Amino acid sequence: MFTHQHLRKTGLLLAVVTTTALAQPSVQQPKMNQNPFLAPYTTPHQTAPFDKIRNADFLPALQEGLAQGRKDVDAIVNNPAKPTFENTIVALERSGDLLGKVTSVLFNLNSAETTPELQKIVKEASPLLSEYGNDITLNEKLFARIKAVYEQRASLKLDTESAMLLEKAYKRFARNGANLDAKGKERLRAIDKEMSQLSLQFGENVLNETNEYSMLVTDEKELAGLPDYVRELARSTAKQKGKDGYMFTLQAPSYGPFMQYADNRELRKKLYMAFNGRGFHGDKNDNSDIIQKMVALRYERANLLGYKTHADFVLEESMAGSRDKVQSFLDELVTYARPAAERQLAELTTYAKAHGFTEDKLQAWDNSYYAEKLKKEKYDLDDETLKPYFKLENVLNGAFTVANKLYGITFKERKDIPVYNPEVKTYDVFDKDGKFLAVFYGDYFPRPGKRSGAWMNDVQGQKVENGQNVRPHIVNVCNFTRPTDTKPSLLTFYEVTTLFHEFGHGLHGMLANGKYESLSGTSVPRDFVELPSQVMENWCYDPEALKLFAKHYQTGEVIPNELIEKIRASQNFLAGLANLRQLRFGLVDMYYHGQKPTGETVTQVENKVDSVANLFPRVEGVAFSPAFSHIFAGGYSAGYYSYKWSEVLDADAFEFFKEKGGLDNKTAADSFRKNVLEKGGSEKPMELYKKFRGREPSPKAMLRRSGLIL
């Protein structure tokens, strides 16, 4: 669905996530005393001084951060006092501040606007960070102190959040090799180092494949069916590249509309093959071997730590709890989704044949095209009709307004906070009592060096330290349709829901209110992290919310009730096919990570899953695994099921919001803020959900919403 990358300091264990990057180039390396990382920030709210940071600053600051982090750990290990919660667990949590400061900026930039120079820096940094993390988790004396505190946990009388920090600290070490012998620890280090490098390379290869491809169309007749806004964007893209004609790329604002509207079936196929062949061309950007290596290394690592598979290792700490439960969950949803998908594909095929399609079966590159036409016929609704009501600035203000009505928070734009690209907007966020809550960065348009997809990060996490509540700096990054010479950025409805989705993650970060950064905000299990984001999506279908921001960009007219009803009526359009598509991704993830590696090729793996979860004919020369960044470059390995799992949660949760009166009644919102958004990972997710909802979640709301049951 959407990509989310979240980088945060978890004690001293840094999540090295592969993405791609930015920072201003510097011809010569600055002196250490000029390095902006090595002095207190003097910017508003101590935000990152992006205008002063140069590529040459990163490695010196990183080395200093590593040195300081090791010094912090040595102080804990060599403390002559008896191990206590404060002098061991809290001290470890508070250590490595400089390193967290540097890496949060580095990896945020490494996803938003990459340069070859910065990619090289990240490749140098990644093994250093991996080695550093292993030096800590495999430090026997440090683990002995942690274990000593853990073994007396019953008598410590810790509050719930502190007890969770202790449990997480112990498990983080135990789950990362602290109990291994010397040989095992050495092998674990080697695996982690290689994994970090492979993951980075995977992400770079996908970005290269995305950026290197373009399709130039010079004959206007071949653009039949494309709306004016799609043509205008393509003409602008060609002009930027010094070409005459219309240029289409694999970026979402170009690729998606072309597949929806272009009458030229051969060009649709050509673009489909390029998009779905990324990382699968047998060249320098091919990811097939990387997948085989990563799957094997993950399996070996899990075995080394005493787990049967990588999925067993990952899911032990999830809300679902086990590989078998996840597999059963996906299999059960297939039994609901596949029959609905089969009926919907039959309807789509019948429609296509009635409108000139002559083959026996629709191909994958026909799906979006005929779906758009059928949707238009059934509901008299398409993106061309809706886009004028969804000017980007209005939609963003709509997200702000919904947040204000639910939680009382307000947003005020600032012009003096440094940004890493002129397009990035910044905001102060205030609570209902006027108290400062967070800094919010919004970055909404595609650029050549920017990873595709949409995600939320933080540049500074939330924590309480020295009696001060350190407030977070939150980033939302998307890739929406740019303004043209004649029109502002007008979003498709899919882009509207994407903005609200990522903003939901942002709220999880902005409203965080815990003591410890490693438990704060979105530091929760993968199958719980999507709850706040997907709850926010629901407001995009809510008449009360839509009327707050869906206004015609030229006339100011509020979206009419007739269109709102069409949006709601079309919400379940082809939902069986959409559900089956998501389940396909989750099943492939579990096939790679839920068993001993089979040695099967990418094509063989996908063919097996497709026999259950794909109704379109298999196409030679394409595969989605080699560009499946979620699980090979984004932290979702053995966790992609969490999107569907979270749909169960969000549908059940949103029913509660509506039961309690929607935007006008604060009962559900207050409970959601108090028990979910503020709590982060300070308690078990099921316990937090039950405190919010009053009971465990039921899947019936999701099945009803998707039209899979009555």
Side-chain angles (χ1 to χ4, degrees), residues 93-108:
E93 169 73 14
R94 304 297 189 216
S95 64
D97 277 349
L98 175 58
L99 192 56
K101 186 176 175 181
V102 177
T103 55
S104 67
V105 172
L106 175 62
F107 286 103
N108 268 282

Side-chain angles (χ1 to χ4, degrees), residues 47-63:
T47 47
F50 289 111
D51 55 336
K52 293 183 171 60
I53 294 169
R54 301 293 181 263
N55 281 338
D57 296 323
F58 283 111
L59 287 176
L62 186 79
Q63 294 286 7

Side-chain angles (χ1 to χ4, degrees), residues 1 31 76 88 126 144 182 185 220 242 251 277 324 377 381 398 414 426 457 534 548 560 572 580 615 673 690:
M1 189 179 289
K31 297 176 182 177
I76 298 169
T88 300
S126 182
K185 289 178 180 178
E220 240 185 295
Q251 298 286 356
D324 289 344
E377 184 171 296
L381 188 70
R414 292 192 67 147
T426 60
N457 281 339
Q534 291 178 193
L548 295 173
N572 288 334
L580 199 62
L615 302 181
R673 176 173 178 170
K690 287 192 292 186

Side-chain angles (χ1 to χ4, degrees), residues 370-384:
Y370 285 108
E372 186 65 24
K373 290 187 175 301
L374 178 58
K375 184 178 180 181
K376 173 73 172 173
E377 184 171 296
K378 288 185 75 167
Y379 306 105
D380 190 25
L381 188 70
D382 59 15
D383 281 332
E384 276 292 88

Side-chain angles (χ1 to χ4, degrees), residues 13-26:
L13 305 176
L14 288 139
V16 181
V17 181
T18 48
T19 47
T20 29
L22 155 82
Q24 296 300 316
S26 177

